[in-house]
Amino acid sequence: MGVGIQVENLNAWYGTTHTLQDINLHIPANHATALIGPSGCGKSTFVRCLNRMHETNPIARATGVIKMGDLDIYKDASPVEIRRRVGMVFQRPNPFPTMSIYDNVASGLKLNGFRNRRILDETVERSLKQAALWEEVKDDLKKKSGASLSGGQQQRMCIARALAVDPEVLLMDEPASALDPVSTSKIEDLIFQLKSQYTIVIVTHNMQQAARVAENTGFFLNGKMVEFDSTHKIFTNPRDKRTEDYITGRFG
Amino acid sequence: MTTEREPGSSMPLPSLAPTEFVGSSEPTVVSTEPSPIREFLSKRGSGRLADTSFAVVMLVCALSIFAIVLFIFFILISRSKLSLIAFGWKFFMRSAWDPVSGDFGALPFIVGTLETSFLALLMAVPLALGVAVFLTELCPRSLRAPISFLTELLAAIPSVVYGLWAVFVLVPIMREHLGPFFAKTLGWTGLFGGANFGVGLLTASIILAIMILPVISSLTRDIMTAVPNSQREGVLALGATRWEMIRTGVLRNSRIGIVGAIMLGLGRALGETMAVTMVIGNHAEIAKSLFAPGYTLASVIANEFSEATDNLYLSALIEIGLALFLVTIVVNAIARLMVWAVTRGAPARVA
Ligand SMILES: Nc1ncnc2c1ncn2[C@@H]1O[C@H](COP(=O)(O)OP(=O)(O)OP(=O)(O)O)[C@@H](O)[C@H]1O
Ligand SMILES: [Mg+2]
């Protein structure tokens, strides 16, 4: 089961640049939440704060409170524990090139010392099926390098890799930006199915995609969250003029 | 825009009349004058000559390596003919070294060379990897440059200076502190028995380790820096600890390069002459104890070449050179085999 996330007064910096300013929102459990906004507005930065990847950048800093259920992720747990529970799919696929497809998908479990062959096999198969990649790779799971797949296949493999550790929250930073329409719709179907078990946060530049998969949508602009509401409301009757301008394409 | 939709069903796209893109019916105006760019390009050659000559030049460069190796091999064989005839291939298996009666064999030198080099690797590799991991993954930025600079400085010190330092600093420490300590704690292995004069195989190995450390660590550091950050993030995002991330995301991706770095270090250790000659004790005997004096292939050539007056003696020394050449080749071949055996099961790296 997924878990909800409460963000309170989140501020983030790169060096002296104040990239995120006073972000407040609630991401409900077992729903998909879309984040939209123009390039450079801080969507990736926000998502990276949710699994504490932001702090891996030596010049980056963040303040505020992020709660996963009752757990304050910056106070009550180590980044490692958080990342085991909050999976992430990056904007660009990053397969591990020295590993086979199987090992790529199993890597999260293996590096945590998980050795049970049978469960590993099952998990790899399940995750690849969830990511709609199983049929394409099942015959050379252990023969082919993860980097030998096509870009779209790599991205689905990375999704499978994130799913294999069975996270409660799944962060997807433009998971479909490198994909063809067929893979994209497969991933959207996947998100639709996963919603019942995971809390999903998806960054997207594709308004229709947000509308298709997410119950709630947040609009970011210049490091601030301008509006957060049900997707229906955002797309049909936004409160803020800037939101309306952006979704209707009238924006600067 | 509406939002209540079934998954997978597509939103209406902004209407684009397909005819706008498919071949327009309007006649295109074709200018009769050739464009200057096309004209310029059409005047350029096919590039075939340039491509071919480039390929030939590169081939010559590559072949020159083969030529040099073959040439050295040929000279070594032809100059050691006397000794080759006198002792045959048994030369590499014999332990005698008696210039007075003209009885020669290379075994103690081969053993001494391999022993010191591998001990040196044993000490230097973990240390070098530690330095590289620290520099690329853990070190505060401000310390990175000074530490890198220091390690590289170590590589630039001439080996005779290492030798001097070893004679005046390492040998006494070995004699008075390290040696007795090893004898007490590890004496039961039998490797630390007998008299300890401070000079010997262990001292030579330590100085070798210090000398190859910077080579291995700076190469490893460069290789690890080249691992893209997306790999680190990919592993971290799965909930890896720092060490797990370094192991899976960094070391694993650079393992072939690291083996290459180790091989370069080993090559230096096998052939190192000056510093080793100054502290190894120069005694042609195979001993069990690491305190015992030994001899290496490179040191015996350096030490005795000027004394070798008769032809057989000279020819035997050149055959020692041949032995060093062969040892290097065999050791490298074994290392390649090991890399191959380790990476065989794994998929080939694509990118
Ligand atoms: N590693 C970094 N170092 C310094 N500044 C950064 C870094 N990453 C992002 N920024 C800055 O932070 C701001 C927000 O970047 P972010 O990546 O969060 O944008 P985004 O909304 O994800 O954009 P896109 O839609 O293009 O992915 C940008 O102005 C960017 O210049
Ligand atoms: Mg982004």
Side-chain angles (χ1 to χ4, degrees), chain A residues 43-44 91 173-174 203:
Chain A
K43 305 179 297 293
S44 297
Q91 200 159 349
D173 192 352
E174 294 183 48
V203 174

Side-chain angles (χ1 to χ4, degrees), chain B:
Chain B
M1 276 197 222
T2 51
T3 53
E4 315 290 69
R5 296 192 156 263
E6 288 301 305
S9 75
S10 60
M11 289 285 284
L13 288 164
S15 65
L16 292 173
T19 45
E20 279 176 8
F21 293 99
V22 184
S24 77
S25 51
E26 275 176 38
T28 343
V29 187
V30 181
S31 146
T32 41
E33 228 151 88
S35 98
I37 295 175
R38 288 217 186 133
E39 202 175 8
F40 172 77
L41 289 177
S42 67
K43 283 205 187 103
R44 306 251 315 152
S46 68
R48 229 171 276 138
L49 180 66
D51 264 354
T52 323
S53 35
F54 178 72
V56 168
V57 171
M58 292 303 115
L59 183 67
V60 169
C61 292
L63 287 180
S64 71
I65 301 278
F66 279 98
I68 292 170
V69 170
L70 278 180
F71 184 66
I72 293 175
F73 189 64
F74 172 76
I75 292 292
L76 285 173
I77 296 247
S78 71
R79 292 288 166 86
S80 58
K81 212 173 260 156
L82 269 184
S83 148
L84 275 172
I85 291 166
F87 308 107
W89 291 106
K90 280 247 174 63
F91 179 81
F92 301 118
M93 295 294 145
R94 304 173 83 243
S95 289
W97 191 260
D98 186 357
V100 181
S101 59
D103 195 10
F104 299 104
L107 194 60
F109 309 105
I110 295 178
V111 172
T113 302
L114 290 177
E115 208 175 340
T116 48
S117 298
F118 281 106
L119 272 177
L121 275 192
L122 217 60
M123 293 182 263
V125 169
L127 215 60
L129 289 188
V131 171
V133 165
F134 179 73
L135 279 177
T136 52
E137 310 296 328
L138 310 171
C139 179
R141 251 152 206 246
S142 48
L143 278 180
R144 208 172 282 180
I147 296 181
S148 303
F149 178 72
L150 279 181
T151 34
E152 260 133 54
L153 200 66
L154 273 181
I157 297 175
S159 67
V160 64
V161 176
Y162 276 105
L164 280 177
W165 177 80
V167 166
F168 290 114
V169 180
L170 191 56
V171 169
I173 291 179
M174 196 65 203
R175 192 169 49 221
E176 272 133 44
H177 306 288
L178 267 184
F181 172 76
F182 280 134
K184 207 165 79 192
T185 51
L186 294 167
W188 52 270
T189 55
L191 292 174
F192 300 93
N196 169 24
F197 300 110
V199 293
L201 290 164
L202 187 56
T203 313
S205 308
I206 294 176
I207 197 70
L208 273 179
I210 297 174
M211 292 174 76
I212 63 178
L213 173 72
V215 179
I216 302 178
S217 72
S218 53
L219 280 172
T220 305
R221 186 204 60 205
D222 291 345
I223 293 155
M224 288 171 52
T225 322
V227 173
N229 256 333
S230 66
Q231 289 291 310
R232 295 184 178 85
E233 294 188 336
V235 181
L236 277 179
L238 294 167
T241 61
R242 184 114 71 148
W243 160 241
E244 287 160 352
M245 180 273 284
I246 290 169
R247 201 187 49 186
T248 325
V250 182
L251 290 177
R252 205 189 144 102
N253 281 319
S254 26
R255 60 189 176 187
I256 293 184
I258 292 176
V259 172
I262 294 173
M263 290 326 296
L264 273 180
L266 180 59
R268 175 151 195 210
L270 288 171
E272 174 50 43
T273 314
M274 203 57 223
V276 172
T277 311
M278 289 165 84
V279 294
I280 198 171
N282 300 330
H283 184 65
E285 213 162 279
I286 301 172
K288 193 176 171 219
S289 169
L290 294 178
F291 290 149
Y295 225 151
T296 67
L297 292 160
S299 335
V300 72
I301 300 176
N303 263 342
E304 304 191 3
F305 203 76
S306 53
E307 305 162 11
T309 39
D310 70 281
N311 286 340
L312 183 63
Y313 192 7
L314 193 62
S315 156
L317 278 177
I318 294 173
E319 199 174 347
I320 293 277
L322 181 64
L324 183 51
F325 189 78
L326 293 176
V327 163
T328 314
I329 289 177
V330 169
V331 166
N332 269 298
I334 293 175
R336 294 265 149 231
L337 271 179
M338 268 159 43
V339 173
W340 176 77
V342 169
T343 52
R344 185 177 35 153
R349 213 189 140 123
V350 180

Side-chain angles (χ1 to χ4, degrees), chain A residues 100-190:
Chain A
S100 65
I101 298 168
Y102 182 97
D103 285 339
N104 257 282
V105 178
S107 55
L109 291 173
K110 278 192 173 172
L111 68 84
N112 281 308
F114 196 86
R115 291 282 173 274
N116 184 323
R117 275 242 82 85
R118 192 178 55 81
I119 299 182
L120 275 180
D121 288 348
E122 281 170 14
T123 309
V124 168
E125 181 172 344
R126 173 183 55 80
S127 319
L128 282 170
K129 278 182 174 158
Q130 281 179 316
L133 187 61
W134 175 251
E135 290 302 322
E136 289 157 67
V137 299
K138 65 178 178 206
D139 296 324
D140 30 32
L141 273 185
K142 298 195 179 173
K143 274 179 267 161
K144 268 181 140 181
S145 156
S148 69
L149 298 173
S150 80
Q153 289 173 326
Q154 287 182 9
Q155 187 64 308
R156 278 178 281 151
M157 186 184 76
C158 291
I159 293 176
R161 188 172 77 190
L163 292 175
V165 287
D166 205 9
E168 292 154 70
V169 179
L170 188 60
L171 310 175
M172 302 174 113
D173 192 352
E174 294 183 48
S177 65
L179 299 188
D180 67 291
V182 177
S183 308
T184 304
S185 79
K186 280 183 184 167
I187 286 183
E188 288 176 11
D189 289 347
L190 165 73

